[in-house]
Amino acid sequence: MVVNAKKMLEQAKEGKYAVPHFNINNLEWTRYILEECERLKSPVILGVSEGAIQYMGGYKVVADLARNLDEELMIHVPVAIHLDHGSSVESCKKAINAGFTSVMLDASKYSLEENIKMTKEVVSYASNRNITVEAEIGHIGGSEDNISSEIAYAKVDDAIQLYEQTNIDFLAPALGSVHGLYKGEPCLDFAKMQQISEKANIPLVLHGGSGIDDEKLKKAIQSGICKININTELQIEWTKAVRTFLDIDKVSYDPRTVIRSGEKNMKKIIAQKIEILGSKNRIKF
Ligand code: 13P
């Protein structure tokens, strides 16, 4: 059931668990994620980066694909179709008009004033259309869509100002996690996470969820995180399985067979994350 992300994240905050945000890259990934979340009765956020949107053919292709799969597969769990790291107000508006139910404006590279101004503009457009909005403060860093950037920890006061002045639905404060592979141990600032959560009282988002061990993920949830973004681990596990398949099977050439060889591994990771995040069996039907 396609919905915005408001209720699912409020319920996660209340129940002290996190909703998984899995990034999608193609039709098959979308299908595997939906099927596994339905099986485990977990709400889910389908995150789509601008790179993935471009790869798949455009905003409308993605929104229609996710909506049609949701309908054809008869998915009962709540599913949000979410723009991940929208780089401009325009990109967020495009996603909303195409049928996304949730957007993230990532104005973290701008000054706090500019970030607030741009975020306000997206919120005013989105709230009239019942669409949820995520904003970022500090800078998450690492590597995504083949673009690398440095990490900058969020300041508590900046996070609170962004929250108080914009009416966003959820907030991603950069507190040590990175996109892509970690160099060394992730160094998360749980104390700041807790402070921001207490002062802002909205669901917080942890980007760069791949490569963070289970205990740290659970501690993050205890510190106010209600949405955890995972992409890299799914990519690694899917590719590992496909590589093994192609090393052994030298005769198959049907792309459906090749792509499907990664399904089991991907679903295994999805199930493991849902277990750790505590979102399993949260939906009754
Ligand atoms: P990972 O690269 O750690 O999977 O993080 C994905 C993410 O945060 C997308 O916004």
Side-chain angles (χ1 to χ4, degrees):
M1 188 185 33
V2 174
V3 294
N4 70 26
K6 193 163 186 69
K7 191 168 162 203
M8 64 171 93
L9 289 178
E10 279 172 4
Q11 285 174 342
K13 187 166 162 53
E14 176 82 24
K16 285 238 176 258
Y17 60 94
V19 174
H21 155 136
F22 293 118
N23 282 77
I24 59 171
N25 290 288
N26 57 24
L27 179 147
E28 289 82 357
W29 283 50
T30 314
R31 178 180 185 135
Y32 304 157
I33 293 165
L34 289 177
E35 285 174 346
E36 200 56 9
C37 290
E38 177 79 0
R39 187 178 76 79
L40 297 170
K41 299 190 164 66
S42 167
V44 64
I45 296 172
L46 300 174
V48 207
S49 68
E50 289 175 348
I53 289 171
Q54 216 176 23
Y55 173 82
M56 284 195 264
Y59 294 79
K60 195 149 168 46
V61 177
V62 173
D64 288 352
L65 170 75
R67 283 176 179 275
N68 288 327
L69 273 176
D70 177 84
E71 191 183 321
E72 292 279 344
L73 298 172
M74 292 189 286
I75 301 296
H76 299 87
V77 295
V79 177
I81 308 169
H82 177 77
L83 173 67
D84 194 20
H85 295 282
S87 59
S88 63
V89 175
E90 235 11 78
S91 177
C92 292
K93 287 183 179 174
K94 254 180 157 171
I96 293 169
N97 292 332
F100 282 61
T101 58
S102 187
V103 292
M104 173 189 190
L105 173 74
D106 177 356
S108 62
K109 65 176 180 197
Y110 299 102
S111 67
L112 177 63
E113 292 68 32
E114 191 61 19
N115 190 344
I116 290 173
K117 186 170 156 254
M118 289 167 73
T119 305
K120 266 179 155 170
E121 202 178 329
V122 172
V123 169
S124 107
Y125 194 81
S127 57
N128 284 332
R129 293 161 176 83
N130 199 26
I131 303 296
T132 40
V133 178
E134 173 182 345
E136 176 173 330
I137 192 78
H139 185 69
I140 287 151
S143 170
E144 194 171 51
D145 281 346
N146 291 320
I147 299 165
S148 298
S149 57
E150 286 303 313
I151 183 174
Y153 281 70
K155 295 191 185 105
V156 175
D157 287 350
D158 289 356
I160 303 311
Q161 272 198 61
L162 182 63
Y163 156 71
E164 281 177 346
Q165 293 185 36
T166 59
N167 224 2
I168 46 174
D169 299 286
F170 35 108
L171 174 66
L175 292 171
S177 59
V178 299
H179 296 122
L181 299 171
Y182 282 87
K183 296 185 192 111
E185 267 291 297
C187 191
L188 302 183
D189 193 333
F190 292 109
K192 265 194 193 168
M193 215 177 265
Q194 185 92 40
Q195 280 174 36
I196 295 171
S197 172
E198 279 163 13
K199 290 187 178 171
N201 198 29
I202 51 166
L204 299 184
V205 180
L206 181 71
H207 282 250
S210 298
I212 299 181
D213 69 47
D214 300 355
E215 288 320 305
K216 283 196 174 122
L217 288 180
K218 286 183 183 162
K219 196 167 171 190
I221 295 168
Q222 290 310 312
S223 311
I225 295 292
C226 305
K227 169 178 179 277
I228 298 187
N229 293 14
I230 295 155
N231 186 24
T232 304
E233 271 186 66
L234 294 185
Q235 294 184 330
I236 289 172
E237 289 302 316
W238 178 84
T239 305
K240 212 190 276 176
V242 174
R243 196 166 279 137
T244 305
F245 171 80
L246 289 173
D247 279 346
I248 296 166
D249 182 332
K250 303 288 183 194
V251 293
S252 291
Y253 54 82
D254 184 334
R256 291 168 295 187
T257 311
V258 177
I259 293 172
R260 199 182 289 141
S261 66
E263 175 178 348
K264 232 168 98 187
N265 251 24
M266 226 184 107
K267 285 186 168 171
K268 187 184 78 192
I269 300 295
I270 294 168
Q272 280 173 7
K273 294 298 175 191
I274 285 176
E275 191 74 48
I276 296 157
L277 269 52
S279 64
K280 188 172 160 186
N281 285 330
R282 296 288 175 175
I283 307 299
K284 309 279 171 252
F285 54 82

